[in-house]
Amino acid sequence: MLALAAALLSALLPCGCSDENTDLGSSLVDPSTLYNGKTDTLYASAAYSRIDEPLKTSSYSFGVVGNYSDATFGSVSSVLYTQVALKQASTSINIEEMTIDSVELCLVNDGLYPDSTATYNFHFEVMRLAEAIVSDSDYYSNNAIPVDPSAVYFDGVVSVGPTDTVVRLTLDPSVQQMLSYTATAEEFVNLSRGLRIRIVDDGSQGMLSINFAAVKTKLVAHYHRGDNLADSASYDFVIGTGANHFTQFTHDYSTSVFAASDSIEGSQALYVEPLVGTSAYISFDSAIRAFAAEHPLAVIHQARLLMPVASSAQPAMPDRILATYDLDGTEMAVPDMLLDGFDGTFHPGDGFYALRLSRHLQHLLRQGNDPGIKLILDSRRNSPARVVLEGTRSANPTKIVFTYSE
């Protein structure tokens, strides 16, 4: 819900608006557009950060597994659940007459966190599920499926570094029991039930992002026929695209800034954490109302939301911040997000994230108020990078800088 907490509205920051012509917004102006533009700045009325509600995580192209903790956000763990399915071109399988020599779980490395250049010693554990993942069901970040305690297919430490494009886990021979069926494609998914893949939290603190859309993310069975070892081949089972999979995220905020409450007012800092962690909400309502009353015919030519990064932010920051708003109970992307030039990326030279809100600001001025926007992270279901932004009353606050004419 994007409506801001009533308690925060009592701490409104006076809006700062000036009609003076300056060079501050010159970089916001499209040089091909001629107009007598003015530059102004809007400061937020209220803001807060809040722990997120569960999100759907099933069948996304990317996932993440591992554990991480810091003093600001507490700890988070991510566990993968996936079906083991036949290749899309296969309608059935008959492995009962074959001898499986080895089975390898292959996961395409899409990035390491918090240090993408480091090598981690991950304690992987792979177990068979006690019940099948339903193919046509949605699964959410708080869902889990029990495992079969007698079916541990991998339990060991694997070194993973930035040059390891594929993480390969050779599974225990007992995995043959979940693969040796004569069945149709649909029957096989239900019979095999699927796998839980996790990193046990007793080794390197870190997280591995996985590309489920990559063809090399798969389960490979090497086998031979009869007594002829020379008559060998391999079969690729699907665990990515074509198989229902989901990610479970578990957060512990007991040692974090959210230990006492699931919501924190945003005068000094805004906390944006992925993996269904926390989002920031910000409203410019007082400034919008004042400016709209004074300039009812204003035409917005360019507007950017500038979000300075706080000194407490970690070096490995997210690639991009997005903005949404509430439309009759439905979370919608701001209209500028659908256009080229939306941005949302970090600008190292300036020390802030910036995203264009020209159309959104024009809409707010026309309606005369601002219910607020929600700041979320792109790839928030698979990238662990988080960020702390300056609050609404810090020395360098989050603000909207814009050019207009009337």
Side-chain angles (χ1 to χ4, degrees), residues 224-241:
H224 68 272
R225 301 174 188 274
D227 297 326
N228 186 2
L229 295 178
D231 186 10
S232 61
S234 64
Y235 186 92
D236 293 347
F237 292 92
V238 173
I239 62 170
T241 302

PDB file of all heavy atoms in Angstrom, residues 224-241:
ATOM      1  N   HIS A 224      25.038 -45.827 -19.559  1.00  0.00           N
ATOM      2  CA  HIS A 224      25.375 -46.755 -20.636  1.00  0.00           C
ATOM      3  C   HIS A 224      24.282 -47.827 -20.694  1.00  0.00           C
ATOM      4  O   HIS A 224      23.499 -47.987 -19.763  1.00  0.00           O
ATOM      5  CB  HIS A 224      26.755 -47.394 -20.425  1.00  0.00           C
ATOM      6  CG  HIS A 224      26.828 -48.323 -19.253  1.00  0.00           C
ATOM      7  ND1 HIS A 224      27.124 -47.891 -17.967  1.00  0.00           N
ATOM      8  CD2 HIS A 224      26.646 -49.676 -19.153  1.00  0.00           C
ATOM      9  CE1 HIS A 224      27.127 -48.911 -17.144  1.00  0.00           C
ATOM     10  NE2 HIS A 224      26.831 -50.011 -17.832  1.00  0.00           N
ATOM     11  N   ARG A 225      24.251 -48.550 -21.801  1.00  0.00           N
ATOM     12  CA  ARG A 225      23.202 -49.551 -22.031  1.00  0.00           C
ATOM     13  C   ARG A 225      23.775 -50.961 -21.824  1.00  0.00           C
ATOM     14  O   ARG A 225      24.828 -51.290 -22.355  1.00  0.00           O
ATOM     15  CB  ARG A 225      22.657 -49.437 -23.453  1.00  0.00           C
ATOM     16  CG  ARG A 225      22.064 -48.081 -23.759  1.00  0.00           C
ATOM     17  CD  ARG A 225      21.669 -47.977 -25.223  1.00  0.00           C
ATOM     18  NE  ARG A 225      21.269 -46.625 -25.598  1.00  0.00           N
ATOM     19  CZ  ARG A 225      20.057 -46.131 -25.454  1.00  0.00           C
ATOM     20  NH1 ARG A 225      19.108 -46.901 -24.946  1.00  0.00           N
ATOM     21  NH2 ARG A 225      19.777 -44.889 -25.806  1.00  0.00           N
ATOM     22  N   GLY A 226      23.064 -51.752 -21.061  1.00  0.00           N
ATOM     23  CA  GLY A 226      23.470 -53.144 -20.866  1.00  0.00           C
ATOM     24  C   GLY A 226      24.853 -53.262 -20.263  1.00  0.00           C
ATOM     25  O   GLY A 226      25.242 -52.501 -19.371  1.00  0.00           O
ATOM     26  N   ASP A 227      25.643 -54.214 -20.814  1.00  0.00           N
ATOM     27  CA  ASP A 227      27.005 -54.425 -20.324  1.00  0.00           C
ATOM     28  C   ASP A 227      28.040 -53.725 -21.184  1.00  0.00           C
ATOM     29  O   ASP A 227      29.248 -53.850 -20.943  1.00  0.00           O
ATOM     30  CB  ASP A 227      27.318 -55.931 -20.292  1.00  0.00           C
ATOM     31  CG  ASP A 227      26.415 -56.676 -19.319  1.00  0.00           C
ATOM     32  OD1 ASP A 227      26.061 -56.065 -18.289  1.00  0.00           O
ATOM     33  OD2 ASP A 227      26.076 -57.835 -19.605  1.00  0.00           O
ATOM     34  N   ASN A 228      27.584 -52.990 -22.173  1.00  0.00           N
ATOM     35  CA  ASN A 228      28.505 -52.346 -23.109  1.00  0.00           C
ATOM     36  C   ASN A 228      28.810 -50.917 -22.633  1.00  0.00           C
ATOM     37  O   ASN A 228      28.038 -49.995 -22.857  1.00  0.00           O
ATOM     38  CB  ASN A 228      27.890 -52.316 -24.513  1.00  0.00           C
ATOM     39  CG  ASN A 228      28.871 -51.777 -25.542  1.00  0.00           C
ATOM     40  OD1 ASN A 228      30.021 -51.466 -25.223  1.00  0.00           O
ATOM     41  ND2 ASN A 228      28.407 -51.671 -26.788  1.00  0.00           N
ATOM     42  N   LEU A 229      29.967 -50.760 -21.969  1.00  0.00           N
ATOM     43  CA  LEU A 229      30.337 -49.438 -21.466  1.00  0.00           C
ATOM     44  C   LEU A 229      30.588 -48.450 -22.594  1.00  0.00           C
ATOM     45  O   LEU A 229      30.487 -47.235 -22.399  1.00  0.00           O
ATOM     46  CB  LEU A 229      31.581 -49.544 -20.578  1.00  0.00           C
ATOM     47  CG  LEU A 229      31.407 -50.343 -19.272  1.00  0.00           C
ATOM     48  CD1 LEU A 229      32.722 -50.403 -18.509  1.00  0.00           C
ATOM     49  CD2 LEU A 229      30.317 -49.725 -18.406  1.00  0.00           C
ATOM     50  N   ALA A 230      30.935 -48.973 -23.765  1.00  0.00           N
ATOM     51  CA  ALA A 230      31.193 -48.083 -24.905  1.00  0.00           C
ATOM     52  C   ALA A 230      29.899 -47.477 -25.433  1.00  0.00           C
ATOM     53  O   ALA A 230      29.911 -46.432 -26.092  1.00  0.00           O
ATOM     54  CB  ALA A 230      31.913 -48.843 -26.017  1.00  0.00           C
ATOM     55  N   ASP A 231      28.802 -48.151 -25.150  1.00  0.00           N
ATOM     56  CA  ASP A 231      27.494 -47.649 -25.604  1.00  0.00           C
ATOM     57  C   ASP A 231      26.957 -46.690 -24.549  1.00  0.00           C
ATOM     58  O   ASP A 231      26.011 -46.987 -23.820  1.00  0.00           O
ATOM     59  CB  ASP A 231      26.526 -48.817 -25.810  1.00  0.00           C
ATOM     60  CG  ASP A 231      25.212 -48.354 -26.431  1.00  0.00           C
ATOM     61  OD1 ASP A 231      25.134 -47.187 -26.868  1.00  0.00           O
ATOM     62  OD2 ASP A 231      24.260 -49.159 -26.458  1.00  0.00           O
ATOM     63  N   SER A 232      27.610 -45.526 -24.446  1.00  0.00           N
ATOM     64  CA  SER A 232      27.259 -44.565 -23.401  1.00  0.00           C
ATOM     65  C   SER A 232      26.725 -43.277 -24.015  1.00  0.00           C
ATOM     66  O   SER A 232      26.966 -42.957 -25.185  1.00  0.00           O
ATOM     67  CB  SER A 232      28.475 -44.259 -22.526  1.00  0.00           C
ATOM     68  OG  SER A 232      29.511 -43.686 -23.313  1.00  0.00           O
ATOM     69  N   ALA A 233      26.003 -42.558 -23.216  1.00  0.00           N
ATOM     70  CA  ALA A 233      25.422 -41.285 -23.665  1.00  0.00           C
ATOM     71  C   ALA A 233      25.036 -40.489 -22.429  1.00  0.00           C
ATOM     72  O   ALA A 233      25.320 -40.885 -21.289  1.00  0.00           O
ATOM     73  CB  ALA A 233      24.218 -41.536 -24.574  1.00  0.00           C
ATOM     74  N   SER A 234      24.402 -39.365 -22.631  1.00  0.00           N
ATOM     75  CA  SER A 234      23.938 -38.550 -21.511  1.00  0.00           C
ATOM     76  C   SER A 234      22.559 -37.994 -21.826  1.00  0.00           C
ATOM     77  O   SER A 234      22.178 -37.870 -23.006  1.00  0.00           O
ATOM     78  CB  SER A 234      24.917 -37.412 -21.214  1.00  0.00           C
ATOM     79  OG  SER A 234      24.993 -36.516 -22.309  1.00  0.00           O
ATOM     80  N   TYR A 235      21.832 -37.674 -20.785  1.00  0.00           N
ATOM     81  CA  TYR A 235      20.491 -37.101 -20.946  1.00  0.00           C
ATOM     82  C   TYR A 235      20.404 -35.856 -20.075  1.00  0.00           C
ATOM     83  O   TYR A 235      20.758 -35.888 -18.893  1.00  0.00           O
ATOM     84  CB  TYR A 235      19.410 -38.104 -20.547  1.00  0.00           C
ATOM     85  CG  TYR A 235      18.008 -37.601 -20.831  1.00  0.00           C
ATOM     86  CD1 TYR A 235      17.378 -37.888 -22.040  1.00  0.00           C
ATOM     87  CD2 TYR A 235      17.319 -36.816 -19.895  1.00  0.00           C
ATOM     88  CE1 TYR A 235      16.104 -37.415 -22.312  1.00  0.00           C
ATOM     89  CE2 TYR A 235      16.047 -36.345 -20.166  1.00  0.00           C
ATOM     90  CZ  TYR A 235      15.445 -36.640 -21.376  1.00  0.00           C
ATOM     91  OH  TYR A 235      14.188 -36.167 -21.656  1.00  0.00           O
ATOM     92  N   ASP A 236      19.931 -34.763 -20.660  1.00  0.00           N
ATOM     93  CA  ASP A 236      19.794 -33.497 -19.941  1.00  0.00           C
ATOM     94  C   ASP A 236      18.367 -33.339 -19.413  1.00  0.00           C
ATOM     95  O   ASP A 236      17.414 -33.234 -20.199  1.00  0.00           O
ATOM     96  CB  ASP A 236      20.120 -32.311 -20.852  1.00  0.00           C
ATOM     97  CG  ASP A 236      21.579 -32.276 -21.262  1.00  0.00           C
ATOM     98  OD1 ASP A 236      22.381 -33.005 -20.655  1.00  0.00           O
ATOM     99  OD2 ASP A 236      21.916 -31.506 -22.188  1.00  0.00           O
ATOM    100  N   PHE A 237      18.240 -33.343 -18.099  1.00  0.00           N
ATOM    101  CA  PHE A 237      16.954 -33.053 -17.484  1.00  0.00           C
ATOM    102  C   PHE A 237      16.850 -31.543 -17.254  1.00  0.00           C
ATOM    103  O   PHE A 237      17.845 -30.857 -17.001  1.00  0.00           O
ATOM    104  CB  PHE A 237      16.813 -33.783 -16.148  1.00  0.00           C
ATOM    105  CG  PHE A 237      16.720 -35.268 -16.273  1.00  0.00           C
ATOM    106  CD1 PHE A 237      17.862 -36.064 -16.220  1.00  0.00           C
ATOM    107  CD2 PHE A 237      15.489 -35.889 -16.448  1.00  0.00           C
ATOM    108  CE1 PHE A 237      17.781 -37.437 -16.326  1.00  0.00           C
ATOM    109  CE2 PHE A 237      15.402 -37.271 -16.551  1.00  0.00           C
ATOM    110  CZ  PHE A 237      16.545 -38.044 -16.503  1.00  0.00           C
ATOM    111  N   VAL A 238      15.642 -31.033 -17.301  1.00  0.00           N
ATOM    112  CA  VAL A 238      15.403 -29.592 -17.176  1.00  0.00           C
ATOM    113  C   VAL A 238      15.154 -29.232 -15.709  1.00  0.00           C
ATOM    114  O   VAL A 238      14.364 -29.881 -15.021  1.00  0.00           O
ATOM    115  CB  VAL A 238      14.185 -29.170 -18.026  1.00  0.00           C
ATOM    116  CG1 VAL A 238      13.828 -27.715 -17.769  1.00  0.00           C
ATOM    117  CG2 VAL A 238      14.476 -29.406 -19.503  1.00  0.00           C
ATOM    118  N   ILE A 239      15.849 -28.185 -15.243  1.00  0.00           N
ATOM    119  CA  ILE A 239      15.543 -27.618 -13.916  1.00  0.00           C
ATOM    120  C   ILE A 239      15.315 -26.111 -14.033  1.00  0.00           C
ATOM    121  O   ILE A 239      14.964 -25.462 -13.035  1.00  0.00           O
ATOM    122  CB  ILE A 239      16.659 -27.893 -12.892  1.00  0.00           C
ATOM    123  CG1 ILE A 239      17.974 -27.252 -13.331  1.00  0.00           C
ATOM    124  CG2 ILE A 239      16.819 -29.379 -12.668  1.00  0.00           C
ATOM    125  CD1 ILE A 239      19.040 -27.295 -12.252  1.00  0.00           C
ATOM    126  N   GLY A 240      15.507 -25.547 -15.218  1.00  0.00           N
ATOM    127  CA  GLY A 240      15.309 -24.120 -15.430  1.00  0.00           C
ATOM    128  C   GLY A 240      14.064 -23.858 -16.243  1.00  0.00           C
ATOM    129  O   GLY A 240      12.952 -24.215 -15.853  1.00  0.00           O
ATOM    130  N   THR A 241      14.242 -23.227 -17.406  1.00  0.00           N
ATOM    131  CA  THR A 241      13.116 -22.953 -18.283  1.00  0.00           C
ATOM    132  C   THR A 241      12.440 -24.259 -18.692  1.00  0.00           C
ATOM    133  O   THR A 241      13.084 -25.177 -19.183  1.00  0.00           O
ATOM    134  CB  THR A 241      13.584 -22.203 -19.545  1.00  0.00           C
ATOM    135  OG1 THR A 241      14.222 -20.983 -19.142  1.00  0.00           O
ATOM    136  CG2 THR A 241      12.420 -21.881 -20.447  1.00  0.00           C
TER     137      THR A 241
END
